[in-house]
Amino acid sequence: HPEFFPKILGPGENQALDITESKKGFEKLAQAINSEARINGQKIKSLEEIALGYLDVANEVMVRPIREISVMRGYNIREHVLSCFGGAGGQHACAIARKLGISTIFIHRFAGILSALGMVFGDVVVDRQKPAGAVRLETDIQDCLQKLETLGNTCRENLISQGHLEEAVSLTKYLNLRYQGTDTSFMIKEPADGDFQRDFKKLHTREFGFDLQNRSLLVDDIRVRAVAETKATEGSYTLQEKTGDPVTHTNCYFSQGWLPTPVYLYEALGREQTIEGPALILQNDSTILIEPYCSAEIVKTGVIIQVHSSKKKTKTLESDPIQLAIFSNQFMSIAEQMGRTLQKTAISTNIKERLDFSCAIFDSTGGLVANAPHVPVHLGAMSEAVRYQINLRRDDLQEGDVLAANHPMAGGSHLPDITVITPVWSGGSIRFFVASRGHHSDIGSISPGSMPPFSKTLAEEGLCLKSFKLVQSHIFNEEKLRQMMAAISPKVRHPDSVISDLKAQVAANQRGIDLLHEMMEQNGEDVVFAYMVHIQKNAEGAVRSMLQNLVTRLGAQSSNTTLQAEDFLDDGSVIRLRLVIDGKRGTALFDFSGTDPELWGNLNAPKAVTQSAILYSLRCLIAQDIPLNQGCLEPVTVFLPSGSLLNPSAEAGVVGGNVLTSQRIVDVIMKAVQAVAASQGCMNNLTFGNDEFGYYETIGGGSGAGPSWHGTSGVHTHMTNTRITDPEIMEQRYPVYIRRFSIRSGSGGQGKFSGGDGLIRDIEFLAPLNVAILSERRVFPPYGLHKGQAGAKGKNLFINKDGRIVNLGGKNEIQVSAGDRIQINTPGGGGFGEPLVKNNDHG
């Protein structure tokens, strides 16, 4: 309503909103959207339907992080009030609350300027925090309390020196606590009775869903917050006692169509006046939309809205682009919430800190429906893992069963990655599967950390599970699992950690099941299943369109084109690709004939890993924003010669194939389509440990440059998407000291667009340990494209405590003493296009 909006627009900042121009813009948009709808046989939409569709999708996108963050913090969203601020917050509040299942909304009367208002009314605060040195709470509590008292006096004096009265200053004291052997700490406010341990356990249970028994509590920090209350007041703003009438009436477009809608001015409303939706309440700095099936109560501090249950509008089973976007977001949101639950309930550094896990939803046949943006090498392979279990256990699954597997022949990537698979039952039949795959830091192997550089067979790489009922009839099969972990040689070095993380994976899957049931209840099973298929069909169409456009972009003389590329592992083994694209049908054959035979080593990649690399590459080449799913592979045929390093025997070692060869497969695909120069092509797998523990991390490098962009420095690329452990946490948990962690300047390949630089990670060991490095791109550098230069090769150095420096090569395992160091120099990315200034080739 332009007449109620300030005239602050235009060059002179004196113009009103222009509805006519907005309508013209939507007419152009509608013309383009409806033109595509006619081609696809879809319903033609009005301007209002299109505008409401954009709002609906935008609201769903906003809802996703609210759900995700709330789950991560252990909150049940439905038990809380939705508070919003900002000029547009009140316009979205009802829709977002309904999507979240929240029944009450509070909008402050100064919501439109709440941040600025906070600067005026905010209390003056002095925060001071000091390290406590990880002392034990039970033995050092008195010393900590004394330090809190001293720190509190310092904070109080600081505020008094600023002119605040002593009686206006209040102190709040905290201890930052964590369980011994974990990384997650909580800042616990001093209880009235001084029982910090009780409050910590209560918060730990709320956040993670469980508590740890027989663990000491450590104090990392002490903290004091001193607050001097502000003297600012809100003034004498009051509401009138009588009921206010609408200032005008209008029509608003909702999902029910056009509805008559009264328009109120907030300052003209009466105290405790109730307004039924639909209605508009205009404030000086914001607009509040009361949707149908909502009611608002006017109070002195703002507006309280109650969201009532609405008559469910029956959704069509036919594909609708607006609902397609909404369901895509909902499926991805479920996978994201599964991931947050897994991160929250796991205890290992690998899952909680490095985020080396993935979660996804599958249809009843094992086809990928949607995933969270976790680790690409997991996601394509997980579908094969689910399908293997379906074929094997088709008549042997009951409600309350959960399966675990990690064998390469069962869709596994490598043995440390254990997949936990749970059927989703409804009406006595399996309607979906949910799965989580997590990297476990030690599952037994010839090296601590279970990433041995010199394993030759699968038997040397640890615990193998083809199909194990981890949970049977709702009972966790812990005793049998412990027996299996103890039976292999070398045995699993820290079975408690493995079991705890597997329990976390089961909990993450259960979260996905609960959310899928909720989704089916809200929308109807038929609608959910219909859009599951529509999402996969949409992805298939996007891939076909991309392949057709690729033929045109490459300037092929006919509708068919054949592309070829090859690249080498550091031992000289070749990965060769012949890519045949049918531009008319939008199909592709990935033919890896000519790839070298299976290796006597561990760089063999299981079939599922190659499929992951292809799926990831296809998704990267699609400009459209779609979830990664099984539909992407429908137009694709893959030929992997039996007995090759991309389709090895069941006995072959594969621990390095998942993390290294997978990167080279992507390099070959991207080289064939000339899309981007090579990225570092390696995950730089570093492990260290002893008989008591194993630690594993991957280290980033440079990404490749493209036709219009420079590469990025110091990042994980392509098939990995994990984080690296923070130095503080690593030094706290393990006997190491991080000497250096920096960008490896100049290691990116030069070009019109230059590749990103690699990293330097220099670690000093403080105790005797077994250390292993499993890496690639130490012989053949990451390639450049279109005359762009190659990135620098990686280099692994052992620095003896006496100063002697030894090149370890790409793969090695050593015993270190206290004072010895390892320095990992990771590869840079390749350049794209001829450099403007010539530079030495890194190769």
Side-chain angles (χ1 to χ4, degrees):
H1 288 271
E3 64 270 30
F4 297 109
F5 194 87
K7 295 182 179 180
I8 56 173
L9 306 173
E13 298 182 354
N14 58 357
Q15 296 179 16
L17 291 170
D18 193 332
I19 290 179
T20 303
E21 287 300 315
S22 295
K23 190 173 181 180
K24 286 179 181 177
F26 267 97
E27 285 171 347
K28 290 180 181 178
L29 198 59
Q31 189 175 1
I33 290 172
N34 288 328
S35 175
E36 189 172 333
R38 289 187 186 94
I39 295 172
N40 297 326
Q42 294 172 334
K43 177 188 172 185
I44 303 302
K45 294 187 179 296
S46 67
L47 302 188
E48 293 80 13
E49 287 175 314
I50 291 170
L52 190 64
Y54 272 106
L55 281 172
D56 206 3
V57 173
N59 287 333
E60 187 64 44
V61 172
M62 284 191 276
V63 159
R64 272 177 62 187
I66 297 174
R67 285 198 191 108
E68 187 180 356
I69 293 168
S70 299
V71 167
M72 180 179 66
R73 298 295 305 278
Y75 291 111
N76 182 349
I77 303 174
R78 293 170 181 265
E79 297 176 352
H80 292 79
V81 173
L82 180 69
S83 179
C84 66
F85 61 96
Q91 298 175 50
H92 295 269
C94 290
I96 287 178
R98 198 179 297 282
K99 287 178 180 290
L100 291 170
I102 291 176
S103 59
T104 304
I105 303 165
F106 172 67
I107 304 177
H108 193 275
R109 64 188 179 93
F110 294 126
I113 54 169
L114 204 59
S115 296
L117 196 68
M119 298 293 287
V120 176
F121 289 102
D123 295 329
V124 179
V125 176
V126 171
D127 245 319
R128 293 289 183 269
Q129 188 169 329
K130 286 187 175 182
V135 298
R136 292 179 184 272
L137 179 68
E138 56 264 35
T139 58
D140 299 289
I141 180 64
Q142 292 304 320
D143 182 54
C144 290
L145 292 175
Q146 182 58 50
K147 289 179 179 177
L148 281 172
E149 185 68 24
T150 302
L151 192 60
N153 291 336
T154 301
C155 293
R156 181 186 286 108
E157 291 166 5
N158 187 303
L159 286 173
I160 293 172
S161 68
Q162 297 178 33
H164 298 282
L165 296 175
E166 183 174 359
E167 57 268 25
V169 177
S170 61
L171 298 179
T172 308
K173 300 171 183 178
Y174 303 85
L175 292 181
N176 194 24
L177 304 175
R178 63 179 172 87
Y179 276 124
Q180 187 173 24
T182 69
D183 305 319
T184 304
S185 59
F186 295 112
M187 196 68 73
I188 304 298
K189 178 182 175 182
E190 183 179 24
D193 61 359
D195 193 345
F196 283 94
Q197 186 176 34
R198 179 203 58 221
D199 286 9
F200 176 87
K201 285 178 172 290
K202 183 178 179 181
L203 182 57
H204 192 281
T205 302
R206 192 201 77 191
E207 292 277 325
F208 297 151
F210 64 90
D211 192 28
L212 297 176
Q213 302 298 315
N214 304 318
R215 293 281 187 106
S216 294
L217 273 177
L218 303 183
V219 185
D220 280 336
D221 307 279
I222 63 169
R223 175 188 170 200
V224 174
R225 167 171 284 193
V227 178
E229 293 184 12
T230 181
K231 296 179 181 179
T233 60
E234 293 190 14
S236 57
Y237 188 92
T238 57
L239 291 167
Q240 60 183 22
E241 295 299 327
K242 64 177 183 178
T243 300
D245 296 322
V247 66
T248 186
H249 287 78
T250 186
N251 288 318
C252 280
Y253 190 87
F254 299 95
S255 58
Q256 299 91 338
W258 288 103
L259 296 178
T261 305
V263 181
Y264 297 88
L265 297 180
Y266 180 82
E267 57 267 26
L269 296 175
R271 185 194 305 274
E272 298 182 0
Q273 179 176 347
T274 300
I275 297 173
E276 296 293 330
L280 285 170
I281 300 176
L282 306 182
Q283 296 176 309
N284 292 335
D285 45 46
S286 62
T287 299
I288 300 173
L289 171 64
I290 314 300
E291 290 193 351
Y293 305 106
C294 296
S295 60
E297 181 185 359
I298 311 305
V299 296
K300 182 179 179 181
T301 52
V303 178
I304 297 173
I305 302 174
Q306 299 298 328
V307 181
H308 311 295
S309 59
S310 60
K311 296 177 182 178
K312 290 185 179 178
K313 183 181 178 182
T314 304
K315 293 186 174 71
T316 176
L317 300 182
E318 297 178 1
S319 179
D320 176 86
I322 294 169
Q323 292 303 315
L324 191 68
I326 289 171
F327 275 100
S328 294
N329 274 284
Q330 287 182 349
F331 277 121
M332 289 179 68
S333 176
I334 291 172
E336 287 171 344
Q337 290 178 74
M338 289 173 63
R340 287 299 190 184
T341 300
L342 177 53
Q343 182 188 3
K344 183 166 67 74
T345 54
I347 67 168
S348 71
T349 301
N350 251 18
I351 292 178
K352 188 174 289 294
E353 297 295 330
R354 290 187 53 252
L355 310 184
D356 198 343
F357 64 82
S358 295
C359 298
I361 303 166
F362 303 85
D363 61 29
S364 59
T365 69
L368 179 63
V369 176
N371 62 274
H374 292 148
V375 182
V377 77
H378 291 168
L379 295 168
M382 286 170 71
S383 182
E384 292 299 308
V386 175
R387 283 176 166 163
Y388 182 91
Q389 300 303 322
I390 292 172
N391 293 333
L392 185 69
R393 299 272 195 176
R394 191 182 304 274
D395 301 319
D396 185 35
L397 286 176
Q398 300 176 356
E399 290 195 52
D401 289 351
V402 181
L403 303 173
N406 66 347
H407 198 290
M409 294 296 107
S413 41
H414 62 178
L415 297 186
D417 288 340
I418 300 179
T419 306
V420 174
I421 302 165
T422 310
V424 181
W425 295 84
S426 180
S429 62
I430 297 173
R431 311 312 297 266
F432 293 96
F433 286 88
V434 290
S436 55
R437 178 169 288 185
H439 185 109
H440 295 258
S441 59
D442 194 284
I443 42 87
S445 84
I446 57 175
S447 300
S450 299
M451 292 292 293
F454 297 131
S455 58
K456 301 295 189 295
T457 64
L458 194 66
E460 296 177 319
E461 295 180 357
L463 177 70
C464 282
L465 301 172
K466 271 196 174 179
S467 183
F468 173 63
K469 280 198 175 181
L470 186 64
V471 178
Q472 189 165 8
S473 299
H474 302 287
I475 305 299
F476 191 86
N477 204 347
E478 183 170 337
E479 184 178 349
K480 178 67 180 296
L481 183 60
R482 286 188 181 275
Q483 291 172 357
M484 293 166 65
M485 289 192 290
I488 63 172
S489 181
K491 65 182 181 180
V492 176
R493 292 165 179 83
H494 204 301
D496 289 348
S497 177
V498 175
I499 288 171
S500 292
D501 283 352
L502 286 173
K503 287 180 179 178
Q505 288 181 249
V506 173
N509 286 7
Q510 186 58 49
R511 176 63 179 163
I513 291 170
D514 294 343
L515 291 169
L516 281 169
H517 279 302
E518 185 179 304
M519 185 182 187
M520 288 187 284
E521 288 173 10
Q522 289 178 349
N523 299 283
E525 286 193 12
D526 290 346
V527 174
V528 172
F529 296 140
Y531 273 93
M532 175 186 72
V533 174
H534 293 327
I535 288 168
Q536 292 173 326
K537 287 288 185 184
N538 184 54
E540 178 185 344
V543 171
R544 291 188 187 277
S545 178
M546 178 274 293
L547 291 170
Q548 291 165 342
N549 293 335
L550 184 61
V551 172
T552 302
R553 179 174 68 81
L554 294 173
Q557 298 301 310
S558 67
S559 61
N560 292 347
T561 188
T562 299
L563 307 172
Q564 299 190 52
E566 65 180 25
D567 207 343
F568 299 88
L569 300 175
D570 280 353
D571 67 357
S573 300
V574 66
I575 297 174
R576 189 167 284 130
L577 170 65
R578 178 173 166 266
L579 177 57
V580 182
I581 302 175
D582 184 336
K584 185 174 291 185
R585 296 169 55 225
T587 60
L589 167 65
F590 287 78
D591 182 357
F592 288 92
S593 299
T595 296
D596 274 351
E598 174 184 316
L599 301 171
W600 182 242
N602 61 32
L603 292 188
N604 303 291
K607 289 174 62 177
V609 168
T610 302
Q611 180 165 299
S612 283
I614 293 171
L615 181 59
Y616 164 80
S617 298
L618 291 171
R619 178 62 190 85
C620 285
L621 294 169
I622 298 171
Q624 188 178 341
D625 185 16
I626 60 169
L628 190 75
N629 63 57
Q630 198 65 35
C632 295
L633 289 175
E634 289 303 313
V636 170
T637 303
V638 181
F639 177 73
L640 297 171
S642 182
S644 71
L645 67 89
L646 301 184
N647 188 8
S649 65
E651 298 78 24
V654 298
V655 71
N658 175 64
V659 291
L660 300 176
T661 307
S662 64
Q663 299 281 53
R664 196 66 68 257
I665 299 168
V666 175
D667 285 343
V668 172
I669 295 171
M670 294 302 178
K671 191 176 187 180
V673 299
Q674 298 286 290
V676 63
S679 294
Q680 69 155 336
C682 181
M683 297 188 195
N684 305 290
N685 304 272
L686 176 68
T687 56
F688 58 80
N690 52 33
D691 291 339
E692 301 300 321
F693 78 92
Y695 171 78
Y696 168 60
E697 71 178 17
T698 55
I699 307 170
S703 71
S708 61
W709 67 87
H710 296 288
T712 305
S713 298
V715 292
H716 278 303
T717 56
H718 294 322
M719 299 307 287
T720 180
N721 188 31
T722 57
R723 221 163 51 179
I724 199 163
T725 310
D726 291 338
E728 295 84 359
I729 289 174
M730 192 171 172
E731 292 173 349
Q732 189 178 75
R733 291 199 67 171
Y734 304 104
V736 297
Y737 170 56
I738 309 297
R739 292 282 293 265
R740 182 181 179 186
F741 188 38
S742 64
I743 297 295
R744 186 186 177 196
S745 299
S747 56
Q750 297 296 303
K752 180 180 179 182
F753 296 97
S754 297
D757 289 331
L759 290 168
I760 298 174
R761 191 158 174 88
D762 192 329
I763 302 174
E764 180 179 338
F765 301 99
L766 307 180
L769 294 172
N770 176 284
V771 179
I773 182 70
L774 180 59
S775 61
E776 275 282 313
R777 290 295 193 197
R778 268 58 180 173
V779 176
F780 295 98
Y783 62 78
L785 279 183
H786 297 280
K787 298 184 179 180
Q789 295 180 359
K793 295 176 288 189
K795 184 181 295 184
N796 307 318
L797 302 176
F798 171 65
I799 305 172
N800 190 276
K801 58 186 174 183
D802 63 10
R804 183 167 57 98
I805 300 175
V806 179
N807 190 333
L808 294 173
K811 300 162 187 67
N812 221 320
E813 186 168 12
I814 56 174
Q815 296 292 327
V816 300
S817 301
D820 292 341
R821 292 156 53 196
I822 190 168
Q823 186 182 99
I824 311 297
N825 296 266
T826 70
F832 195 102
E834 189 170 6
L836 299 178
V837 178
K838 294 288 185 181
N839 197 0
N840 292 331
D841 192 317
H842 289 302

